[in-house]
Amino acid sequence: MSHIALKELEAHLWHAAHIITGPIDASDYKTYIFPILFFKRICDVYDEEYTSAMEQVGDEELAKGSMFHRIQIPDECHWTHVFSHSKDIGQSLTNAFRCIEQANLSLYGIFGDASWTNKERLPDELLATLLDHFNKVDLGVASVRDDDMGRAYEYLIKRFADKANKKAGEFYTPRTIVRLMVNILDPKAKESVYDPACGTGGMLLETIHHVKENGGDPRLLTIKGQEKNLTTEAIARMNLFLHGMEDFDIIRGDTLRQPKFIQNDKLQTFDNVIANPPFSLKEWGFNQWGSDIYGRNQYGQPPKTNGDFAWVQHMFASLNITGRMAVVLPHGVLFRGGAEGKIRTKLLTENRIEAIIGVASNLFYGTGIPACILVLRKKRPAGHKKHLLIINAEEIFTKGRALNTLSEAQADEIYHIYLSQVKKGPSKAKELEGVARWVSLCEIEKNDFNLNIARYVQKPLEEETISVEDALRDFKQKLAALEQAEQELEELLVKEGFEA
């Protein structure tokens, strides 16, 4: 079987979205395309495993045994069985998905809850065209390695996010922002990683890539995530499966109201906690947190209509004694007063916040507001205490028409600024004017624990070198241009019948 080039695979998969354009809204592409992609992949891999097993044992029933297959595919649930149908295809798909989930407990709920039998949206002709499109490509491991399958899958997530734009913010974080956060945390093989708002699993996957790039075995990572949205949680699980990961645990549920990772009636703790939670969530579970049984309000009760510091405290409570966390939040967490000001003050005076990094505006889907990354640690080096590293990276980005972007090189540039400052520490690191400096807790206290980045790290103002003659000439030119504009407006008004 010949290997399929990644670009060719990406183009083929993206074309599948065009087939359902019209009856299916762009924000729902993921709900329909991903289950079919996953279905085709696991069936093609199963066929490869079956062929290999037959060569070893020569017995059809033995070759179907669980010792030869990661995922069991009963005969009546196989791709070829569904593909042979020309009527009630949606029902055939639904039956196959449920059948596979029942045969593999680890896949329960992975195909989501799309309404495949709604013939007004998905007539048989449309589904037949879609299945025929997927049938043209062999998605077995021999033609598409796990790495390429995973990359193609991530490519689709990104394209769907581009297409859905504002509605995409809930499940997609730009990969270079994730790369920056993961580099800062630097997870190692044998460590645990937890994302309490995992979306489609991008942050968890980046930790896998990071460990692999640094020569570690990502299979030794403990990967856990919680996600409220059923479709998105299913996509995260498919994503990890398609990257060749087997030891992971993604659970659906409302993290702030019902955290799922509990041990001995307490929150499970981890080496690394990372997230891009929903910004300034209004309905976040305020009433329950008044007496939170997991002690997540130890720094104070967040405000009723803003859950930003609920996420921060949940994540911090989920750290083990040497744990570290990175979280993306709106800039408001740095300076808002009231209940948030009190929580921020306690976190600062206890030396929990290591760094804040302000990134450019308009990098995230669904919001043009600038965001910041908060880095917290349970234990900080003695030399770092009573200091906070503040990085202003708002000018490190690539201007875009609809959305600004951060390239991999730019993300790495920000990371190296962070790394250089952290390695030297407050006593030895030199201030990078307008970009980065260690700020003492005394200075922050004088500012009433307001962490607005511009108070501490600002670009120096450029001195004006214009002469009086040049200024006068510039003024006269602008005055003439203003008079010309007024004259043209007056003529236009007269022409349109208005009194001059």
Side-chain angles (χ1 to χ4, degrees), residues 271-288:
D271 298 299
N272 304 272
V273 179
I274 185 168
N276 173 17
F279 283 7
S280 305
L281 200 59
K282 285 185 168 56
E283 299 287 336
W284 60 270
F286 174 83
N287 293 334
Q288 279 171 252

Side-chain angles (χ1 to χ4, degrees), residues 109-128:
I110 201 164
F111 289 103
D113 64 346
S115 182
W116 296 100
T117 55
N118 182 340
K119 291 198 176 186
E120 284 189 16
R121 294 187 86 191
L122 297 168
D124 284 326
E125 295 81 5
L126 182 70
L127 281 177

Side-chain angles (χ1 to χ4, degrees), residues 133-153:
H133 180 73
F134 274 98
N135 202 54
K136 289 173 183 171
V137 179
D138 186 304
L139 295 180
V141 179
S143 53
V144 184
R145 294 188 306 266
D146 280 341
D147 274 3
D148 280 353
M149 190 72 240
R151 284 199 190 101
Y153 192 87

Side-chain angles (χ1 to χ4, degrees), residues 196 226-229 233 251-256 258-260:
Q226 187 165 341
E227 169 55 41
K228 188 177 177 181
N229 181 286
E233 176 258 348
I251 302 179
R252 186 160 58 96
D254 185 323
T255 302
L256 296 182
Q258 287 185 306
K260 297 292 186 182

Side-chain angles (χ1 to χ4, degrees), residues 244-437:
M245 293 299 290
E246 292 181 41
D247 188 17
F248 64 85
D249 202 358
I250 308 291
I251 302 179
R252 186 160 58 96
D254 185 323
T255 302
L256 296 182
R257 288 183 176 88
Q258 287 185 306
K260 297 292 186 182
F261 294 101
I262 307 296
Q263 239 172 14
N264 303 324
D265 297 327
K266 292 182 178 178
L267 289 184
Q268 201 171 331
T269 58
F270 304 89
D271 298 299
N272 304 272
V273 179
I274 185 168
N276 173 17
F279 283 7
S280 305
L281 200 59
K282 285 185 168 56
E283 299 287 336
W284 60 270
F286 174 83
N287 293 334
Q288 279 171 252
W289 272 54
S291 55
D292 184 60
I293 59 171
Y294 303 111
R296 292 176 294 176
N297 53 3
Q298 70 174 102
Y299 293 99
Q301 174 79 338
K304 190 170 186 177
T305 57
N306 191 317
D308 290 337
F309 271 105
W311 287 106
V312 171
Q313 291 193 92
H314 170 82
M315 292 173 72
F316 193 76
S318 301
L319 292 177
N320 61 27
I321 55 167
T322 57
R324 60 268 191 205
M325 62 172 267
V327 57
V328 183
L329 291 166
H331 272 251
V333 299
L334 303 177
F335 53 78
R336 288 190 295 247
E340 290 184 298
K342 289 175 184 172
I343 296 169
R344 187 173 60 245
T345 299
K346 282 188 180 177
L347 286 166
L348 285 164
T349 52
E350 278 196 22
N351 284 296
R352 302 303 193 183
I353 306 175
E354 175 188 71
I356 58 173
I357 302 169
V359 294
S361 59
N362 204 26
L363 288 176
F364 295 81
Y365 294 93
T367 176
I369 64 170
C372 62
I373 297 166
L374 266 61
V375 182
L376 286 79
R377 290 180 189 270
K378 267 283 170 81
K379 277 188 179 177
R380 293 183 61 196
H384 288 191
K385 289 183 177 177
K386 298 193 180 299
H387 285 83
L388 170 68
L389 174 61
I390 298 180
I391 297 175
N392 180 358
E394 63 181 17
E395 292 188 17
I396 303 176
F397 71 99
T398 302
K399 183 79 177 156
R401 205 169 50 171
L403 205 64
N404 294 329
T405 56
L406 193 71
S407 70
E408 200 165 285
Q410 287 165 336
D412 289 350
E413 181 187 345
I414 299 169
Y415 168 62
H416 289 303
I417 291 168
Y418 163 86
L419 190 63
S420 168
Q421 292 283 324
V422 166
K423 277 186 173 176
K424 291 171 184 170
S427 59
K428 293 182 180 176
K430 286 185 179 176
E431 176 184 345
L432 296 176
E433 195 176 15
V435 178
R437 79 176 178 102

